[in-house]
Amino acid sequence: MSLKVDDPKLEPVAQKVNSGDRLSFEDGVALYRSHDLLGIGYLANIVRERLNGNRTFFNVNRHINPTNVCVAACKLCAFGRQVRDGKAYTMSLDQVWKIAGEGYSEAVSEFHIVGGLHPELSLDWYCEMINGLKERYPEVHLKAFTMVEVGYLARRAKISIKETLQRLKDAGVQSLPGGGAEIFQERVRRVICDHKINGNEWIDTARTAHQLGLKSNATMLYGHIETNEDRVDHLLKLRTLQDETGGFQTYIPLAFHPENTPMQHLSTTGGVDDIKNIAVARLLLDNFPHVKAYWVMMTEKVAQIAQRFGADDLDGTIVEEKIYHDAGAKTSQSLRREDLLRLIRDSGREPVERDTLYRPVERNEASFTVIV
Ligand code: V47
């Protein structure tokens, strides 16, 4: 079979996709530089269907952000606040445990828990929070804390990353979300998130989590001051770690939303760049089982199109979203399960409700069963 692309510079990529060979750094840059969106999408769709057939995954989840207090003050962020800011909030443990059960009528299979780097909340506090959630909602998978939060908690507790992750795991954390990766290139990182752990530390923390048996996701924040080369460098660093550990489940490209951030003079990304970021990732990350089109960030419409350009996951019901909405997102805060089913079916894909570990879920209204 010969695969057709309009841009002659993509011929070598098409040949490699045809034979199942790994793409190089130069291939990645050629893909980002090309305007042949249909050619790129065509190739990405082949890889997507090889890996996941016609299925598109989603879950019934709830986001919980226990605090927006953050010492990092990243230029990319509209969510984090200084302790004394009028809009700063920190939930009590009781509030976290209560809010977890609110706002959605169907049984949630995942809590996605992330927050700011709070200078006074200890590792013990977070372990108690996790423990309390597990006690009250034993069926619900706890996907909690970015590599950045883990790094900060370790530093404050004056223990190693490994010990910190082990403590969180013992308390009930079952996997980690993919946030905080931003762009690994130091030159960019220094501008957009100066006080965060650096790219190597993010990778090292993910490696340690995977070695402890905790799966995680991975993200990349694009559409600010990074170059195409920075994007490819980021993706290949993720691919290298995945070769070593196999611990990543999903990659999620995140478009920068500039509103209410110190970088609000930058414009938002366009639909072409959003779709291209899905497709190029699907082609470069040959060892990642899934690529997620995060509907809150992309809009429902673009996330639906992404299902034909390499994505095989939409994320979930979410219920309450703060990070993107503080940065001006116009999407809804929440979708119902039936909305996700419709979005997927209307893009010609077969919807599969999954748990966090991608096992199919069967449900009736009030409960769900993981099929193993
Ligand atoms: O870590 C922060 C990014 C991330 C902005 O693992 C911003 O399943 C754009 O990681 N504009 C949080 N992006 C979101 C995230 C995520 C979302 C959905 C699913 C999963 C998963 C992970 O959002 C942050 C940061 O990289 N972010 N501020 C902004 N103004």
Side-chain angles (χ1 to χ4, degrees):
M1 179 180 56
S2 89
L3 304 179
K4 288 272 169 255
V5 285
D6 287 339
D7 181 350
K9 294 209 172 95
L10 296 185
E11 284 297 339
V13 177
Q15 275 171 24
K16 287 185 187 174
V17 171
N18 196 17
S19 51
D21 290 339
R22 177 159 272 196
L23 302 189
S24 65
F25 183 90
E26 290 72 26
D27 294 330
V29 174
L31 283 161
Y32 270 123
R33 281 193 189 146
S34 175
H35 294 294
D36 184 6
L37 187 64
L38 289 180
I40 299 167
Y42 170 65
L43 298 176
N45 193 50
I46 288 170
V47 176
R48 181 251 197 253
E49 291 187 356
R50 263 183 212 152
L51 288 168
N52 290 297
N54 201 35
R55 292 170 298 169
T56 288
F57 297 90
F58 72 98
N59 70 351
V60 175
N61 64 350
R62 191 198 208 290
H63 283 202
I64 305 173
N65 307 118
T67 180
N68 65 352
V69 170
C70 191
V71 296
C74 296
K75 283 205 176 65
L76 66 90
C77 186
F79 170 72
R81 303 274 162 177
Q82 303 292 316
V83 186
R84 270 175 279 284
D85 188 304
K87 289 188 179 154
Y89 74 84
T90 300
M91 296 180 194
S92 65
L93 288 174
D94 282 328
Q95 278 172 322
V96 174
W97 297 330
K98 183 161 173 286
I99 205 174
E102 285 174 358
Y104 199 74
S105 57
E106 285 175 298
V108 165
S109 69
E110 170 191 281
F111 291 139
H112 170 132
I113 308 163
V114 294
L117 308 181
H118 195 298
E120 280 142 31
L121 296 181
S122 65
L123 179 59
D124 287 339
W125 187 90
Y126 282 103
C127 286
E128 199 181 336
M129 176 187 86
I130 292 293
N131 220 291
L133 284 171
K134 210 65 216 161
E135 249 172 56
R136 288 163 179 80
Y137 310 93
E139 312 268 271
V140 181
H141 179 109
L142 302 183
K143 182 180 85 182
F145 310 120
T146 63
M147 306 306 160
V148 177
E149 291 170 272
V150 172
Y152 185 67
L153 286 173
R155 188 148 65 87
R156 289 206 51 237
K158 299 192 172 59
I159 57 175
S160 69
I161 297 285
K162 186 172 174 191
E163 273 176 273
T164 306
L165 282 164
Q166 189 63 56
R167 292 246 350 246
L168 292 170
K169 187 179 178 197
D170 293 345
V173 168
Q174 289 161 286
S175 69
L176 283 82
E182 321 313 359
I183 284 274
F184 293 141
Q185 246 296 327
E186 239 3 85
R187 174 185 50 79
V188 177
R189 231 176 154 79
R190 267 201 297 278
V191 176
I192 66 170
C193 56
D194 196 14
H195 302 297
K196 261 184 192 166
I197 56 173
N198 66 35
N200 291 335
E201 289 169 322
W202 192 99
I203 289 281
D204 287 345
T205 307
R207 178 186 292 109
T208 309
H210 299 170
Q211 284 166 348
L212 290 175
L214 292 162
K215 295 277 183 191
S216 81
N217 293 337
T219 58
M220 176 180 82
L221 186 76
Y222 65 91
H224 40 88
I225 57 161
E226 85 289 0
T227 62
N228 287 331
E229 286 76 6
D230 296 333
R231 292 176 179 190
V232 177
D233 171 74
H234 187 95
L235 291 170
L236 296 196
K237 282 185 173 132
L238 292 175
R239 188 172 78 179
T240 302
L241 180 61
Q242 179 74 336
D243 276 344
E244 190 186 321
T245 66
F248 288 120
Q249 303 201 101
T250 315
Y251 167 76
I252 311 135
L254 297 171
F256 177 53
H257 282 43
E259 217 175 296
N260 305 322
T261 76
M263 299 200 296
Q264 61 186 347
H265 55 283
L266 297 178
S267 48
T268 52
T269 59
V272 170
D273 205 15
D274 291 345
I275 288 288
K276 203 190 268 183
N277 266 286
I278 291 279
V280 176
R282 184 58 289 169
L283 290 166
L284 285 181
L285 297 177
D286 52 20
N287 52 6
F288 271 61
H290 305 285
V291 172
K292 186 187 283 187
Y294 182 40
W295 65 263
V296 167
M297 172 276 291
M298 292 198 111
T299 75
E300 290 158 53
K301 292 183 181 187
V302 179
Q304 210 179 19
I305 295 168
Q307 302 310 307
R308 293 270 147 199
F309 283 76
D312 65 280
D313 193 304
L314 271 190
D315 204 83
T317 48
I318 297 176
V319 183
E320 211 181 353
E321 202 287 328
K322 296 191 200 304
I323 296 172
Y324 274 83
H325 286 85
D326 284 354
K330 303 289 180 288
T331 43
S332 151
Q333 291 258 342
S334 177
L335 284 181
R336 293 168 307 168
R337 186 172 175 277
E338 62 198 66
D339 298 324
L340 290 160
L341 289 171
R342 178 183 43 78
L343 284 176
I344 295 168
R345 288 201 181 109
D346 287 354
S347 61
R349 297 300 192 190
E350 176 203 337
V352 177
E353 182 179 344
R354 59 163 177 88
D355 73 350
T356 309
L357 301 174
Y358 284 83
R359 295 172 302 189
V361 160
E362 244 173 27
R363 75 164 54 235
N364 58 39
E365 293 245 327
S367 68
F368 64 88
T369 319
V370 175
I371 305 164
V372 264

